[in-house]
Amino acid sequence: MVKRMACLPGAWLMASLAVLLFTAIQAENPYRYFTWNITYGTISPLGVPQQGILINGQFPGPNINSTTNDNIVVNVFNHLDQPFLLSWSGIQQRRNSWQDGMPGTNCPIPPGQNLTYHFQVKDQIGSYFYFPSTYMHKAAGAFGGLRVNSRLYIPVPFDDPADDYTVLIGDWYTTNHGVLRRTLEVGKPIGKPDGVLINGKSGKTETESVVFGMEAGKTYRYRICNVGMKTSLNFRVQGHRMQLVEIEGSHTVQNIYDSLDVHLGQCYSVLITADQKPGDYLMIASTRFTKYMLNATALIRYANSKEPAPQVLPPAPVGVAWSLNQFRSFRWNLTASAARPNPQGSYHYGQINITRTIKILNSAGKDANGKLRYGINGISYVRPTTPLKLAQYFGVGEKVYNDTAIVDDPSDVSPSAPLTLRSAVLKGTYRDFVEIVFENHERGIQSWHLDGYSFFPVGMEGGRWSPKSRSLYNNLDAVSRHTIQVYPMSWTAILLTLDNAGMWNLRSEAWDRQYLGQQLYLNVVSPARSLRDENNIPENARLCGIVKRLPMPAPYT
C-alpha cells in the first residue's frame, strides 16, 4: 500500500504532462498538405485543341477545402518550360506577403524546380480562388477554387446545405497563352475572347457540360467566382432563384436574386433550393457590357430526372443601371458572425476619421515608343527582375522601384501624354485609415483587386468624384470584400485600415490591362520591424535579381 502511494506523484505528473501535451496538440490549428505538379496538357474546352496548364492533370485545378485558421501547405513542382507562380485571390496572408505569390513579392519557380507555400487562412471564411500570376498563364488554366469554412463553434446564418459546389465561370481564348503574351508585348490588343466556360466546359453539348446534382426539396450552396481574363458575366439558373449569403468572406443580408452580375475576380455564394418539378435545368453564364454575346451553360439535374432542360434561356439583364442598382442592394449582415464570434457589425468603419485620400485613375495609352500600355495616374507598371518585397527587405528598394511616381491626386496628369514606365510602389503608413477613389473615364467597365486586405466599398456613382460625394457613402453596412467594379465614366470609393504590413498588389483584374501596366504595389511597413507586425522572410524563400548574393538582414524580433 505504501509503495503504491509513493508512486502516485510520479504517475500524476506523467498523466498531467500527457494531458498538457494532448491539449497543446489539440490547440494547434490543423495542417492541410497538398502536392501539385504543374504540367502542360492538351485541352479542348471550346472544341479546339490547345495547350493548357494542368495541376495534377486537372483542368481546372483541384479545390482547396479548408477551415478558418487552417495552415495550408502546398508543394508546387514546376514542370513547365517557363517560370511559374501561384497566387491566392482574397486570402489576406496576414503579416505574410511572402506567401502572396505575385511577381512583386516572390521569385518565380524555375522550370524543373519546386516551391512550398505555407500560409494560414487566418480569421477568414468564405469563397475564393487561386490562379497563376506569371506571364499570361492564367489564359491556359492552373486556377481552382479555394473555400474557407467556418469553425464548428461559430454560428452560420443559414442551415447546412445538402451539398456545396464550386462554380468557376470565365471567358476563354482558344489562342495559345504564349501568343497572347507576345501580342501584348508588341503593343497590340488581344481582342475579344472566343467563349465562356463553367468549370472548364462550355456546355454546348451534354458531354461538354458540367452536371450538378440536386434532390427535390433540398437546398444547395453554390460558390460562384469569375476567374476570366476580360469580361464581366451574368449568372442565372432556369426556373430557380438565388439567395445571396456571402460575398468574398462576408455574410450578407440574404436577398433573393434572379441573376447576379459577377465581375472579374469576384466571388459570390448563394443558396438554391430544388423547388421545381424534377428534371434538368440550365445554369448560364453570359457576357455583360460587351457588343458581343457569349455564354456557357451547365446542367442542374434533379435526382431521377426524366425531363430535358428547356432550350429557351432566361434573358440576361441589360445596361449599367440594372447592375449598379444590384450593387446597391448588397448589404453586410451586421448581426452574423464571420470568422470570429463577434458580429460583423461590431466594426464601425463609418465612424473612423479618414487620414488619407488616394485617387486611382485608370487609362489606356501608349508609351514613348508608341506601344499600347495601360496605367494608373499616368504611370504604367513594369516588372523588375528583383521582386519588390525582396528589395525592400534587403534595404535596396531605391535600386529597384520608385515610390514617388504615383501621386495621390492625378489632377495634374495629362491624359494625352505618353504613359511613363516605372516599377511603381505606393507608400502606405501603417494603421492609417485611407480612402481610395477609383475613377474610370473610359467607356469600358473596370474591376480592381487589392491583395492583403478586405475593404468597404462605400460609394459608387456616375461622373467624377469630389469631396461632396462622401455624402452619398454607405457608412453603415457596406459589404467588406477584396474586388470591386467601376462602371464606365463612373467612380467607386472604398475605405480600409492599412493594418497588414507587407507589399501588396493593387491591380486591374482585366488580365491584358494588368499585364501591360495597370497595377502597382502598396508598401505598408511597420516602423517597429517586429514579428508582432510582420513575419521574417521564410527559410525556403528563393532569392533572385540583385539580392541574390547580398547578406541576410537582421531578422525581426
Side-chain angles (χ1 to χ4, degrees), residues 142-158:
F143 49 75
L146 197 169
R147 67 180 62 162
V148 186
N149 302 300
S150 296
R151 289 170 286 184
L152 291 177
Y153 66 87
I154 303 293
V156 175
F158 50 88

PDB file of all heavy atoms in Angstrom, residues 142-158:
ATOM      1  N   ALA A 142      -4.653  26.366 -64.697  1.00  0.00           N
ATOM      2  CA  ALA A 142      -3.957  26.385 -63.396  1.00  0.00           C
ATOM      3  C   ALA A 142      -4.679  27.245 -62.368  1.00  0.00           C
ATOM      4  O   ALA A 142      -4.062  27.785 -61.458  1.00  0.00           O
ATOM      5  CB  ALA A 142      -2.496  26.821 -63.547  1.00  0.00           C
ATOM      6  N   PHE A 143      -5.995  27.379 -62.509  1.00  0.00           N
ATOM      7  CA  PHE A 143      -6.786  28.057 -61.489  1.00  0.00           C
ATOM      8  C   PHE A 143      -7.756  27.051 -60.868  1.00  0.00           C
ATOM      9  O   PHE A 143      -8.067  26.009 -61.443  1.00  0.00           O
ATOM     10  CB  PHE A 143      -7.560  29.249 -62.066  1.00  0.00           C
ATOM     11  CG  PHE A 143      -8.331  28.956 -63.332  1.00  0.00           C
ATOM     12  CD1 PHE A 143      -9.519  28.231 -63.297  1.00  0.00           C
ATOM     13  CD2 PHE A 143      -7.870  29.400 -64.558  1.00  0.00           C
ATOM     14  CE1 PHE A 143     -10.231  27.964 -64.454  1.00  0.00           C
ATOM     15  CE2 PHE A 143      -8.581  29.137 -65.728  1.00  0.00           C
ATOM     16  CZ  PHE A 143      -9.755  28.410 -65.674  1.00  0.00           C
ATOM     17  N   GLY A 144      -8.220  27.377 -59.659  1.00  0.00           N
ATOM     18  CA  GLY A 144      -9.149  26.476 -58.981  1.00  0.00           C
ATOM     19  C   GLY A 144      -9.795  27.155 -57.796  1.00  0.00           C
ATOM     20  O   GLY A 144      -9.420  28.268 -57.401  1.00  0.00           O
ATOM     21  N   GLY A 145     -10.759  26.498 -57.188  1.00  0.00           N
ATOM     22  CA  GLY A 145     -11.496  27.058 -56.073  1.00  0.00           C
ATOM     23  C   GLY A 145     -10.775  26.880 -54.747  1.00  0.00           C
ATOM     24  O   GLY A 145     -10.018  25.920 -54.547  1.00  0.00           O
ATOM     25  N   LEU A 146     -11.014  27.820 -53.847  1.00  0.00           N
ATOM     26  CA  LEU A 146     -10.433  27.777 -52.507  1.00  0.00           C
ATOM     27  C   LEU A 146     -11.512  28.256 -51.544  1.00  0.00           C
ATOM     28  O   LEU A 146     -11.913  29.415 -51.589  1.00  0.00           O
ATOM     29  CB  LEU A 146      -9.188  28.666 -52.435  1.00  0.00           C
ATOM     30  CG  LEU A 146      -8.216  28.480 -51.272  1.00  0.00           C
ATOM     31  CD1 LEU A 146      -6.929  29.266 -51.518  1.00  0.00           C
ATOM     32  CD2 LEU A 146      -8.798  28.902 -49.923  1.00  0.00           C
ATOM     33  N   ARG A 147     -11.993  27.354 -50.701  1.00  0.00           N
ATOM     34  CA  ARG A 147     -13.033  27.744 -49.757  1.00  0.00           C
ATOM     35  C   ARG A 147     -12.516  27.654 -48.331  1.00  0.00           C
ATOM     36  O   ARG A 147     -11.686  26.805 -48.007  1.00  0.00           O
ATOM     37  CB  ARG A 147     -14.279  26.876 -49.920  1.00  0.00           C
ATOM     38  CG  ARG A 147     -14.088  25.428 -49.529  1.00  0.00           C
ATOM     39  CD  ARG A 147     -15.361  24.608 -49.723  1.00  0.00           C
ATOM     40  NE  ARG A 147     -15.794  24.552 -51.110  1.00  0.00           N
ATOM     41  CZ  ARG A 147     -16.649  23.638 -51.574  1.00  0.00           C
ATOM     42  NH1 ARG A 147     -17.141  22.724 -50.754  1.00  0.00           N
ATOM     43  NH2 ARG A 147     -17.004  23.632 -52.833  1.00  0.00           N
ATOM     44  N   VAL A 148     -13.000  28.554 -47.492  1.00  0.00           N
ATOM     45  CA  VAL A 148     -12.652  28.570 -46.073  1.00  0.00           C
ATOM     46  C   VAL A 148     -13.958  28.469 -45.291  1.00  0.00           C
ATOM     47  O   VAL A 148     -14.770  29.404 -45.283  1.00  0.00           O
ATOM     48  CB  VAL A 148     -11.884  29.845 -45.677  1.00  0.00           C
ATOM     49  CG1 VAL A 148     -11.425  29.745 -44.229  1.00  0.00           C
ATOM     50  CG2 VAL A 148     -10.674  30.066 -46.597  1.00  0.00           C
ATOM     51  N   ASN A 149     -14.169  27.324 -44.655  1.00  0.00           N
ATOM     52  CA  ASN A 149     -15.390  27.081 -43.908  1.00  0.00           C
ATOM     53  C   ASN A 149     -15.298  27.671 -42.499  1.00  0.00           C
ATOM     54  O   ASN A 149     -14.212  27.829 -41.944  1.00  0.00           O
ATOM     55  CB  ASN A 149     -15.643  25.572 -43.803  1.00  0.00           C
ATOM     56  CG  ASN A 149     -15.740  24.912 -45.163  1.00  0.00           C
ATOM     57  OD1 ASN A 149     -16.596  25.248 -45.962  1.00  0.00           O
ATOM     58  ND2 ASN A 149     -14.833  23.980 -45.438  1.00  0.00           N
ATOM     59  N   SER A 150     -16.440  27.967 -41.916  1.00  0.00           N
ATOM     60  CA  SER A 150     -16.487  28.447 -40.540  1.00  0.00           C
ATOM     61  C   SER A 150     -16.159  27.311 -39.576  1.00  0.00           C
ATOM     62  O   SER A 150     -16.466  26.146 -39.831  1.00  0.00           O
ATOM     63  CB  SER A 150     -17.876  28.998 -40.217  1.00  0.00           C
ATOM     64  OG  SER A 150     -18.170  30.132 -40.999  1.00  0.00           O
ATOM     65  N   ARG A 151     -15.543  27.675 -38.455  1.00  0.00           N
ATOM     66  CA  ARG A 151     -15.315  26.690 -37.406  1.00  0.00           C
ATOM     67  C   ARG A 151     -16.652  26.252 -36.810  1.00  0.00           C
ATOM     68  O   ARG A 151     -17.624  27.014 -36.818  1.00  0.00           O
ATOM     69  CB  ARG A 151     -14.407  27.280 -36.326  1.00  0.00           C
ATOM     70  CG  ARG A 151     -12.972  27.460 -36.799  1.00  0.00           C
ATOM     71  CD  ARG A 151     -12.146  28.271 -35.818  1.00  0.00           C
ATOM     72  NE  ARG A 151     -12.496  29.693 -35.857  1.00  0.00           N
ATOM     73  CZ  ARG A 151     -11.864  30.625 -35.160  1.00  0.00           C
ATOM     74  NH1 ARG A 151     -10.866  30.300 -34.369  1.00  0.00           N
ATOM     75  NH2 ARG A 151     -12.244  31.884 -35.254  1.00  0.00           N
ATOM     76  N   LEU A 152     -16.690  25.032 -36.278  1.00  0.00           N
ATOM     77  CA  LEU A 152     -17.947  24.442 -35.848  1.00  0.00           C
ATOM     78  C   LEU A 152     -18.637  25.256 -34.762  1.00  0.00           C
ATOM     79  O   LEU A 152     -19.863  25.294 -34.686  1.00  0.00           O
ATOM     80  CB  LEU A 152     -17.723  23.000 -35.367  1.00  0.00           C
ATOM     81  CG  LEU A 152     -17.339  21.995 -36.456  1.00  0.00           C
ATOM     82  CD1 LEU A 152     -17.082  20.626 -35.844  1.00  0.00           C
ATOM     83  CD2 LEU A 152     -18.423  21.906 -37.526  1.00  0.00           C
ATOM     84  N   TYR A 153     -17.863  25.926 -33.902  1.00  0.00           N
ATOM     85  CA  TYR A 153     -18.489  26.653 -32.797  1.00  0.00           C
ATOM     86  C   TYR A 153     -18.889  28.076 -33.171  1.00  0.00           C
ATOM     87  O   TYR A 153     -19.426  28.814 -32.336  1.00  0.00           O
ATOM     88  CB  TYR A 153     -17.582  26.656 -31.562  1.00  0.00           C
ATOM     89  CG  TYR A 153     -16.282  27.413 -31.713  1.00  0.00           C
ATOM     90  CD1 TYR A 153     -16.216  28.782 -31.453  1.00  0.00           C
ATOM     91  CD2 TYR A 153     -15.113  26.769 -32.097  1.00  0.00           C
ATOM     92  CE1 TYR A 153     -15.038  29.485 -31.585  1.00  0.00           C
ATOM     93  CE2 TYR A 153     -13.917  27.463 -32.226  1.00  0.00           C
ATOM     94  CZ  TYR A 153     -13.886  28.818 -31.971  1.00  0.00           C
ATOM     95  OH  TYR A 153     -12.707  29.502 -32.114  1.00  0.00           O
ATOM     96  N   ILE A 154     -18.640  28.494 -34.417  1.00  0.00           N
ATOM     97  CA  ILE A 154     -19.066  29.814 -34.883  1.00  0.00           C
ATOM     98  C   ILE A 154     -20.389  29.646 -35.629  1.00  0.00           C
ATOM     99  O   ILE A 154     -20.450  28.928 -36.630  1.00  0.00           O
ATOM    100  CB  ILE A 154     -18.021  30.459 -35.806  1.00  0.00           C
ATOM    101  CG1 ILE A 154     -16.671  30.569 -35.109  1.00  0.00           C
ATOM    102  CG2 ILE A 154     -18.515  31.826 -36.274  1.00  0.00           C
ATOM    103  CD1 ILE A 154     -16.631  31.531 -33.956  1.00  0.00           C
ATOM    104  N   PRO A 155     -21.466  30.264 -35.182  1.00  0.00           N
ATOM    105  CA  PRO A 155     -22.758  30.087 -35.865  1.00  0.00           C
ATOM    106  C   PRO A 155     -22.740  30.690 -37.267  1.00  0.00           C
ATOM    107  O   PRO A 155     -22.159  31.752 -37.500  1.00  0.00           O
ATOM    108  CB  PRO A 155     -23.747  30.818 -34.957  1.00  0.00           C
ATOM    109  CG  PRO A 155     -22.919  31.807 -34.187  1.00  0.00           C
ATOM    110  CD  PRO A 155     -21.574  31.158 -34.006  1.00  0.00           C
ATOM    111  N   VAL A 156     -23.370  29.987 -38.185  1.00  0.00           N
ATOM    112  CA  VAL A 156     -23.515  30.439 -39.573  1.00  0.00           C
ATOM    113  C   VAL A 156     -24.981  30.819 -39.775  1.00  0.00           C
ATOM    114  O   VAL A 156     -25.870  30.102 -39.307  1.00  0.00           O
ATOM    115  CB  VAL A 156     -23.090  29.322 -40.553  1.00  0.00           C
ATOM    116  CG1 VAL A 156     -23.357  29.727 -41.989  1.00  0.00           C
ATOM    117  CG2 VAL A 156     -21.620  28.983 -40.357  1.00  0.00           C
ATOM    118  N   PRO A 157     -25.274  31.931 -40.441  1.00  0.00           N
ATOM    119  CA  PRO A 157     -26.654  32.426 -40.502  1.00  0.00           C
ATOM    120  C   PRO A 157     -27.543  31.716 -41.522  1.00  0.00           C
ATOM    121  O   PRO A 157     -28.422  32.324 -42.125  1.00  0.00           O
ATOM    122  CB  PRO A 157     -26.465  33.906 -40.857  1.00  0.00           C
ATOM    123  CG  PRO A 157     -25.210  33.940 -41.644  1.00  0.00           C
ATOM    124  CD  PRO A 157     -24.319  32.899 -41.026  1.00  0.00           C
ATOM    125  N   PHE A 158     -27.312  30.430 -41.750  1.00  0.00           N
ATOM    126  CA  PHE A 158     -28.202  29.615 -42.587  1.00  0.00           C
ATOM    127  C   PHE A 158     -27.920  28.145 -42.260  1.00  0.00           C
ATOM    128  O   PHE A 158     -26.853  27.800 -41.736  1.00  0.00           O
ATOM    129  CB  PHE A 158     -27.999  29.897 -44.079  1.00  0.00           C
ATOM    130  CG  PHE A 158     -26.573  29.847 -44.559  1.00  0.00           C
ATOM    131  CD1 PHE A 158     -25.990  28.652 -44.991  1.00  0.00           C
ATOM    132  CD2 PHE A 158     -25.801  30.998 -44.587  1.00  0.00           C
ATOM    133  CE1 PHE A 158     -24.684  28.608 -45.426  1.00  0.00           C
ATOM    134  CE2 PHE A 158     -24.478  30.965 -45.030  1.00  0.00           C
ATOM    135  CZ  PHE A 158     -23.922  29.768 -45.449  1.00  0.00           C
TER     136      PHE A 158
END
